[in-house]
Amino acid sequence: MTHSSDPDIELQNLLAELLDGSLDPQGQRRLNDLLSHDLAARESYLDFCEMHAALAWEHGLVIADVSPSTTTCRGSTKHAQRGTRIAAILAALAASLLFALIGWNAEDGDVTNGGGPTPTTEGPIVAQLISRIDAVVTRNSVLWQPSAYQVGHYQVDRGLIQLQYDSGVTVFIEAPAAFDAISSEKLALHSGRISANVPPEGIGFTIETPEADIVDFGTEFSVEVGGGESEVHVFKGHVRVNLKSVSTHLQAKPIDLRTEQAIRIAEAGRQPVGIDLATDRFIRSIDEPQKGYPRMVKQLEPVAYYRMPIKERGLVCIPSEYDGIVLTGTGSRPACAPGIMGASLRTGGKSIGRGGLVTNTPPFTTGSFALACWIYATGRPEGATVVSNIQTDGAQEELGRFSLSLDQGTGTLVATVRDAMGQLIRCHDTERLSLEMWHHIAITCDGNELILYRNGIATSSIPCSPVSNSPPSRLTIGVDLDGAGLWEGRIDELALFNKSLSREQIHELYDAAYLREE
């Protein structure tokens, strides 16, 4: 629709389109904006409704197109048709009044639900659902399935959702989280994590927290709320943080954050503190970037390559014939998280992730073998498994050829392969695995030696004959074949090879992850 330069004429045109059912989403947002901020516009609106209700009552006039029946009727048919038309216009007027009141409450926040707008069963649409990963969402305490997100209070009890606004703004919200959809330009985050990507058309998009209002100027940023504090992390661009002063008589000075800057705002005193940028905490994309590392892995021709993209329960392999499933359990956070390269598989802790399972496992037909992956540990539970296809129960103990896990007693990594004689050969790392940092781990066996690499450097080795060619069993990632040994942390970029890799190739793989691409 076209807006008039005269506010009164524009309002009349918008109201006429509202009542005849032709008001488009852009017009709805404009009308809601006028009614939310202009008292005179609200009074004109009520006069307009009253006038048309009176006309409908007195003369049977209708604004909406209600076509008369073509059937010949007797007696009171004319009056019945007139009554139907009157009822239709009054219903339209009531609906439009509800529309306006919803808009006013959403902006003014007079009645709140968890600090947000008045709960409603209907309301203006502010965003559309683009994707959901293992998500359970409620709106005003009712399970919410539609893709249209209206004004209201939402909770993401499990998984991950991605919303998009008409301005092009996209946000990722990770469970557990509670937020209010206020308008197409504003969202109030009460708890949880959110990441926003704001194009130039969306400049001014605001995320409100209990401690501050974060106004975007075209950027990529993330916010976390919890424990009486808010954190703001700017990955690219510029945001302005307007602090909420303890005293209503004082206005705290805004803080401008730019690329690679982050702050924490505590509720007590609300004094911001500079912090390190959390590059691996927030889910900011579900796309896997094309970087040098995966290209190099593919050039080495793995028999199976699990990149761990964010999917709905999918454990995606290259080639796809060895795809698997993501095992899930209790928890709230999705079984995916930022990795060293795009997304990663997350297991343990608050995550619903309980590992991955591949039943159609790749065949290993030579006496040589190699494995490469990235791992991130938040704890060192005994026996925690990175990857395994060794079956150890009863008569099937001969199945499988390799595993990578934490030692039961020392918390160090141990690489295990089954040799041609059926013996399990183990190679232990020399140091305990450092927590909360990414490590590149590789195993190679060339028929003479089993070598364990950490971050491109060989840390230990042991003599080993060729690896067994026994039939493969199931393959598990982040958990062992008995459903125990759950990994605490993340696993990314798992590649399996039907051959050995050289020391130079392992070192080049490690370096490739940190090479910047032009």
Side-chain angles (χ1 to χ4, degrees):
M1 66 162 296
T2 302
H3 292 157
S4 169
S5 58
D6 187 326
D8 291 334
I9 295 177
E10 179 186 17
L11 177 62
Q12 294 297 322
N13 291 337
L14 289 169
L15 291 174
E17 292 180 14
L18 171 66
L19 292 180
D20 68 17
S22 65
L23 189 62
D24 59 22
Q26 181 182 359
Q28 291 176 9
R29 289 192 295 273
R30 177 56 180 163
L31 177 58
N32 196 43
D33 184 63
L34 287 172
L35 298 178
S36 299
H37 298 93
D38 191 336
L39 178 60
R42 298 183 199 179
E43 293 175 347
S44 296
Y45 167 79
L46 295 174
D47 290 341
F48 185 90
C49 291
E50 183 179 358
M51 176 187 68
H52 283 278
L55 288 173
W57 183 260
E58 291 296 327
H59 305 291
L61 298 177
V62 291
I63 305 301
D65 182 14
V66 181
S67 300
S69 172
T70 57
T71 304
T72 303
C73 302
R74 302 187 230 168
S76 60
T77 301
K78 179 178 179 181
H79 297 287
Q81 290 176 346
R82 178 182 175 186
T84 299
R85 290 196 297 268
I86 294 172
I89 185 60
L90 292 178
L93 293 171
S96 62
L97 179 60
L98 176 62
F99 171 89
L101 291 177
I102 289 170
W104 301 339
N105 285 333
E107 291 294 328
D108 296 341
D110 292 333
V111 182
T112 62
N113 178 21
T118 303
T120 59
T121 56
E122 299 295 338
I125 295 173
V126 299
Q128 293 287 338
L129 181 73
I130 301 301
S131 59
R132 54 187 298 151
I133 308 295
D134 286 321
V136 175
V137 182
T138 59
R139 176 178 182 262
N140 300 334
S141 301
V142 178
L143 185 65
W144 188 253
Q145 296 290 353
S147 60
Y149 274 58
Q150 301 167 312
V151 167
H153 179 74
Y154 295 85
Q155 287 192 190
V156 185
D157 297 317
R158 169 171 164 163
L160 172 74
I161 61 172
Q162 180 187 11
L163 304 179
Q164 185 172 50
Y165 296 79
D166 286 345
S167 61
V169 173
T170 59
V171 297
F172 290 91
I173 305 173
E174 179 184 350
F179 70 95
D180 291 335
I182 295 178
S183 71
S184 57
E185 294 84 27
K186 190 173 185 179
L187 179 149
L189 181 65
H190 302 299
S191 64
R193 298 174 182 172
I194 184 170
S195 295
N197 194 306
V198 182
E201 297 79 9
I203 287 176
F205 182 78
T206 301
I207 294 178
E208 178 185 350
T209 77
E211 290 75 40
D213 289 343
I214 300 98
V215 183
D216 181 88
F217 290 94
T219 186
E220 182 184 359
F221 71 103
S222 298
V223 178
E224 181 169 12
V225 175
E229 59 186 27
S230 300
E231 290 187 13
V232 184
H233 298 253
V234 180
F235 299 97
K236 182 179 180 182
H238 172 208
V239 303
R240 177 162 295 164
V241 180
N242 295 317
L243 303 176
K244 294 182 178 179
S245 175
V246 177
S247 171
T248 58
H249 303 290
L250 298 175
Q251 180 62 46
K253 184 178 180 181
I255 298 173
D256 288 312
L257 294 179
R258 302 184 185 275
T259 301
E260 297 187 353
Q261 291 183 330
I263 61 170
R264 178 184 295 118
I265 310 162
E267 184 176 13
R270 297 189 174 95
Q271 294 298 317
V273 177
I275 57 176
D276 292 335
L277 189 72
T279 57
D280 60 356
R281 189 194 307 170
F282 301 95
I283 297 176
R284 296 181 286 147
S285 173
I286 60 174
D287 298 323
E288 290 288 316
Q290 297 301 314
K291 293 188 177 180
Y293 184 88
R295 282 202 298 269
M296 184 172 291
V297 170
K298 293 173 185 177
Q299 289 171 1
L300 294 173
E301 299 179 331
V303 66
Y305 183 23
Y306 298 91
R307 296 212 56 204
M308 311 300 183
I310 299 177
K311 298 289 184 182
E312 181 81 17
R313 298 216 173 194
L315 186 62
V316 180
C317 181
I318 303 171
S320 61
E321 60 188 293
Y322 305 124
D323 284 353
I325 61 172
V326 174
L327 304 173
T328 59
T330 59
S332 55
R333 299 198 183 283
C336 51
I340 191 70
M341 214 73 59
S344 64
L345 178 67
R346 175 166 53 191
T347 59
K350 295 181 179 180
S351 172
I352 64 173
R354 291 299 179 265
L357 173 65
V358 180
T359 55
N360 181 32
T361 56
F364 297 97
T365 57
T366 71
S368 299
F369 171 75
L371 174 156
C373 64
W374 287 88
I375 61 175
Y376 183 100
T378 56
R380 303 188 194 91
E382 291 189 354
T385 300
V386 176
V387 57
S388 177
N389 80 334
I390 292 179
Q391 186 78 35
T392 59
D393 57 335
Q396 294 185 330
E397 187 174 350
E398 73 279 1
L399 295 182
R401 63 156 49 187
F402 67 90
S403 73
L404 176 64
S405 61
L406 287 179
D407 183 71
Q408 291 283 356
T410 64
T412 59
L413 284 171
V414 55
T416 304
V417 298
R418 188 186 304 280
D419 68 11
M421 301 299 294
Q423 300 296 313
L424 295 179
I425 309 300
R426 294 182 173 87
C427 183
H428 293 257
D429 201 350
T430 56
E431 298 178 2
R432 297 182 75 191
L433 186 69
S434 299
L435 299 180
E436 297 185 348
M437 62 181 297
W438 283 101
H439 299 272
H440 184 255
I441 305 298
I443 304 171
T444 64
C445 187
D446 59 4
N448 296 300
E449 188 178 30
L450 172 63
I451 307 175
L452 175 63
Y453 294 83
R454 176 168 33 85
N455 297 330
I457 305 298
T459 61
S460 61
S461 64
I462 190 171
C464 183
S465 61
V467 182
S468 171
N469 287 331
S470 66
S473 65
R474 297 172 298 164
L475 175 71
T476 54
I477 303 171
V479 66
D480 66 22
L481 285 164
D482 297 323
L486 186 66
W487 184 258
E488 289 284 349
R490 309 172 195 180
I491 301 170
D492 200 9
E493 304 292 330
L494 172 64
L496 306 174
F497 300 86
N498 213 359
K499 61 184 179 181
S500 180
L501 299 179
S502 69
R503 293 174 183 261
E504 291 75 18
Q505 288 172 323
I506 298 295
H507 188 74
E508 288 174 0
L509 271 179
Y510 172 69
D511 284 344
Y514 295 101
L515 293 177
R516 288 185 175 271
E517 291 191 331
E518 299 299 332

